[in-house]
Amino acid sequence: MITASTFDLVWVTAAVVAAGAATVTLAIGSHRLRVWAPAIHVAATTAILAARTMQIGRLPVFGPFENTIVAGWAASVVIAASCFSAPTAIKDRLARALAPCVPLILVAGAAFSRSKGLMGANERALIGYAHGYVGWFGFGLFLSATVTAVLVLRAEGRKDSDGETLSAHLFRLLCFGFAWLTATMASGALYSFLLFSDWYQWQIVEVLSALIWLGYALLIHAHLLFGWKTRRLAIGVLAAGPLLLATYWIWSFLPITYHYFGGS
Amino acid sequence: MPRTPDDSSGDSVARRSTRTLTRFLANRRTAQYALAGLGLVIAATLLPLQFLGVSGASGAAASSSPAFIIAYAVVALSILACEVPRVSSMLRRLSRGQAVAPKASGSAIACATPLASGEIARVLRAKGYRRLATTDEAVWGVRHAWAPLGDLMFHFGILLVMAASLASATVARHEATRSYPVQSVTSSAGAARDTRDASRVLRGYTLKSVRAFMDGKVITDLRAVVTDTAGRDWSVEPAAPLILGPGKLLLVDGWGYAADVSLSGTESVSTPFRTTVRIPALHERATSHPLFIAAGGATYRVTLTVDDSRLSARTGRPSLHTARLPRIRATVGVREKDGTYRLVERDVTLARSRETTVAGIVLGLTRQRPYAAVRTIESWSILPMLLGLTAITVGLIWRLGIGRRDAVVERRATGWHVSVKADAYRLATAEAERICRALEGR
């Protein structure tokens, strides 16, 4: 176990390191540094995750502040994997565009209380953790997809030859994000049934999840059936952006849902 | 019996209509419009409710509105019409013994390998490619040939989930909740504070004990032990139910305090009385219990209400997260000659430490006992839902995580070239590079 002040120290240090890595990536044109930035972000967010786990005695997943920790960690892992597995031609560009994401998520954590919340009896379930972590990985994938969509549009505007490669990568992210979102909703349905004997409760989070799921399903079908790619696909992904943010973050602010863990 | 011309025309009209409808539903544009339509219905009917603060039950009501049901049904029928015809053709295509030579891809990668076609086939086999075909000029094979079935599995999983949700919301469900006194309450330090016997028979199972573990005022764990007819003990926890049989679950649903409220008459009531009323389980929002008390020639109506503000915003119940005592309020009315009740006092908060007198009736909280809600659920939706969720998960892993790849290595004027036709979710170039590296011995 570590104290709250020790955790705060780890959190601030790791956030500063992550922000520094992002700044260096954006400001300096060194390819080597850019490749290292995602790895530094993974290390920084893992340190925060580990420190929080040691502080509260369980994996963080409940509450707005813990949302930023898990979201930052999942996003850093997804971004690193995305940059690593992307074709060589677009790796550098992806690393640079995605660099600010993780520090921004970590900085958003400063807006929330860092106090340790206790878990109620119903919250002590493996499926609850699975639901949370799978969900944030989905968020990381969609966040990467949204940033990649901007790159696709820029490449199209400049008649860049990498537009097609970026578009293929965007579609790949979209598909994997869709898979993780589906898994999130499936695990959530199971958890909901165990707690309330209702598979789906149509509260704000469920309504928005259904909408974003249908939206991404439409985009995937549009690509597969109607050949939507590059510009159209990118615009579609960007149009879904606000809904994506609302789905994953509204329950950090709105206490009208049982997804809210800001206080009992 | 011979068919008349009328019968035959009627039959063909019906058949034509069915065919037209099936074609319409199987149309890819219909599929897109159906998905968009369902999204619009959700956005128009369910989303505004959230911001009006009437989610939950109202949301459930909106999800059973005609517009929602029609949009839902069109999506389900569209999936069915799209996927069923694909089954036989896909199975036929996938069960072919040998891979069909893919068309040479324009984006083939040049590969400086000295190997002959027979050796190239061996390398491809080592890379997981099967159904290899070899000529002097080309080698081709397929990896994870059956992966496209994941697509079908995913869509049929969605159909199962949609059907199960509908069944769950309509008929195939029986649910019963009972509250049982908690046997012991244990603090985080492990010291037992209270022990009571609470054995009850529950559908052939006997509830042996319910224990609550607390940290401060938060119930951090709740464990029930039930005994079956063979005398075996089974543990039940929130989010870890006991499966009694296919589609049957036993859950520890929650936690709460049951209040004993004492009512007694004072000097101003001509016939003294004393009674205790137990509000058995505080598991519902704003529970109200009207009591009628005849005393001193007058009839009083006492309504006890659980204070809504003490309930969890997340669950609508006081039981799941916090063990703090809910506030109980009393409203007292006295019966007039015309049969109506005249309000004497509204919303008097009862406290444990002091008694409250309203119109000669003394109200007090004598005890608040911890209770656990144990619930049994029988629902035919459980099996299809689990099957559907499994099909969706396996389908997605098969399709996205594995994916089918057709590789062709062909000899061109400039040497061997590798091209890969991957399904939509894989980067064909990366796979071609991987094969090329293996062929070059890197």
Side-chain angles (χ1 to χ4, degrees), chain A residues 14-212:
Chain A
V16 167
V17 168
T23 311
V24 168
T25 305
L26 290 171
I28 300 173
S30 161
H31 170 71
R32 186 171 290 181
L33 280 173
R34 281 183 202 159
V35 171
W36 274 102
I40 292 170
H41 286 166
V42 172
T45 51
T46 306
I48 296 176
L49 191 81
R52 183 68 173 178
T53 306
M54 283 191 272
Q55 185 206 353
I56 60 178
R58 59 167 171 79
L59 278 172
V61 78
F62 295 100
F65 176 68
E66 291 182 6
N67 283 347
T68 62
I69 294 178
V70 186
W73 179 70
S76 72
V77 171
V78 165
I79 287 169
S82 168
C83 291
F84 177 75
S85 67
T88 318
I90 59 168
K91 255 182 197 167
D92 196 45
R93 212 180 300 186
L94 278 175
R96 190 166 180 174
L98 291 165
C101 295
V102 174
L104 282 176
I105 294 171
L106 293 180
V107 167
F112 304 109
S113 161
R114 292 194 292 281
S115 63
K116 168 191 168 184
L118 281 168
M119 288 173 73
N122 61 319
E123 291 154 4
R124 298 170 64 88
L126 192 62
I127 192 140
Y129 284 102
H131 176 59
Y133 277 78
V134 167
W136 286 117
F137 269 103
F139 173 73
L141 284 158
F142 285 132
L143 184 69
S144 304
T146 309
V147 174
T148 309
V150 176
L151 294 180
V152 169
L153 285 182
R154 281 182 62 185
E156 281 291 296
R158 294 173 182 173
K159 308 276 181 212
D160 195 325
S161 59
D162 289 332
E164 290 276 338
T165 314
L166 280 165
S167 177
H169 188 69
L170 167 64
F171 185 64
R172 195 185 191 202
L173 287 170
L174 197 60
C175 287
F176 279 103
F178 184 74
W180 284 94
L181 177 63
T182 308
T184 309
M185 291 167 75
S187 55
L190 275 177
Y191 197 25
S192 169
F193 190 80
L194 294 181
L195 295 178
F196 310 116
S197 69
D198 268 329
W199 296 107
Y200 216 74
Q201 300 214 60
W202 294 112
Q203 287 198 347
I204 184 78
V205 180
E206 285 92 337
V207 171
L208 291 173
S209 304
L211 286 175
I212 197 81

Side-chain angles (χ1 to χ4, degrees), chain B residues 116-123 134-135 139:
Chain B
S117 57
E119 290 161 314
I120 288 172
R122 269 196 295 278
V123 171
T134 310
T135 67
V139 182

Side-chain angles (χ1 to χ4, degrees), chain B residues 162-184:
Chain B
M162 290 175 86
S165 306
L166 203 65
S168 172
T170 50
V171 284
R173 179 192 183 100
H174 172 76
E175 197 177 318
T177 305
R178 289 182 191 173
S179 296
Y180 296 93
V182 169
Q183 257 201 328
S184 64

